[in-house]
Amino acid sequence: MRPGLPSAILLCLLIMGPGQTVFGGEAVTGVGPIHRLSLSQWASILPPDILVLDDPSSIEGFLDELESHPPDWATVYGQGHHDPGHDERLFNLNRERDERRAGHSVLQRRIAFRWTGELSRFDPETGGFSIALGPVVSPTKWGQVRFKPEDLPGDLRAVPSPDHLADLRRTLADGHGVELTVVFVGHLIPDESVVYDFSHDQDGLGLIMPFVRVEAIHYLLSS
């Protein structure tokens, strides 16, 4: 075992076993354990082929490689949403980008991104909590980036270890929220893998939505 690693990480390594990856081709399920790890701790044990996209720098580098350069948002926006050519320019932008990235090697990369989650109702059958999900919007030089998970299971359940279950139920019963990080892992959808739009928060601000076919879901709760 590696000296200096937190015990929770060592446990994950032992569970994975020799030669096994974190996401070893298992069927996607929304029911999974709560890992008592921060995102950085979790990312440190990932296989090298998984790219974690969780800060402007990593997201911008990913888009630079995949899309080459940001759109000319000012030209596409024109005079705004009521501009007669606005919708057509936005449609053409998406169509041109879809055609350009077809077959790109980055589409074969596994990526990981996070949404926020909050524990909700306890489910005795699975021993876990249902989760209220919320997207994370990242400001970048490209515009706002919001990853979109596709093919999510119908029910998401985060299952704590037995020694933490009572504490979590007590916290919720006392009216306190319990937030956690929900990490999605998968590949960009080959067709229409990135959708361009405009933010509803600020006129002319670009919104980039990478659509990811989810292959694994992980629940992280920092100590």
Side-chain angles (χ1 to χ4, degrees):
M1 294 189 292
R2 304 177 192 176
L5 284 176
S7 58
I9 294 182
L10 292 175
L11 177 60
C12 287
L13 291 171
L14 290 172
I15 291 174
M16 282 157 37
Q20 195 174 4
T21 65
V22 177
F23 320 105
E26 299 178 358
V28 180
T29 174
V31 179
I34 295 177
H35 299 290
R36 306 287 289 196
L37 299 169
S38 67
L39 182 60
S40 60
Q41 288 174 323
W42 180 82
S44 71
I45 63 171
L46 290 179
D49 68 313
I50 297 178
L51 184 63
V52 179
L53 302 175
D54 190 57
D55 62 90
S57 178
S58 63
I59 294 172
E60 289 167 0
F62 176 76
L63 291 174
D64 288 343
E65 184 178 0
L66 178 65
E67 302 285 80
S68 180
H69 59 274
D72 182 351
W73 288 114
T75 298
V76 178
Y77 191 67
Q79 299 302 311
H81 293 278
H82 301 294
D83 185 326
H86 172 276
D87 291 339
E88 182 178 358
R89 290 192 297 270
L90 192 59
F91 174 81
N92 289 336
L93 167 64
N94 279 287
R95 183 181 60 186
E96 291 166 3
R97 292 288 175 121
D98 288 342
E99 293 174 353
R100 186 186 305 167
R101 84 175 69 89
H104 199 294
S105 60
V106 172
L107 299 177
Q108 305 303 316
R109 291 206 64 175
R110 285 191 292 176
I111 62 174
F113 65 95
R114 70 180 171 94
W115 274 26
T116 60
E118 185 170 347
L119 298 185
S120 183
R121 184 181 59 85
F122 179 70
D123 176 26
E125 184 175 346
T126 60
F129 296 89
S130 58
I131 301 169
L133 280 175
V136 172
V137 179
S138 300
T140 73
K141 67 181 182 183
W142 283 68
Q144 292 181 329
V145 177
R146 186 176 71 203
F147 287 89
K148 302 278 286 185
E150 290 287 296
D151 298 331
L152 287 181
D155 293 320
L156 303 182
R157 297 286 185 272
V159 182
S161 60
D163 54 330
H164 288 122
L165 176 57
D167 286 342
L168 290 175
R169 296 193 69 177
R170 188 179 306 114
T171 299
L172 293 175
D174 290 341
H176 301 295
V178 177
E179 296 183 353
L180 73 166
T181 298
V182 181
V183 183
F184 300 103
V185 180
H187 292 83
L188 287 174
I189 296 175
D191 299 324
E192 297 185 352
S193 51
V194 179
V195 173
Y196 291 89
D197 203 345
F198 284 98
S199 169
H200 297 291
D201 302 326
Q202 179 180 332
D203 288 346
L205 180 63
L207 175 64
I208 302 99
M209 294 177 287
F211 280 72
V212 179
R213 179 166 292 120
V214 173
E215 299 165 2
I217 305 170
H218 298 268
Y219 306 117
L220 310 180
L221 183 60
S222 184
S223 298

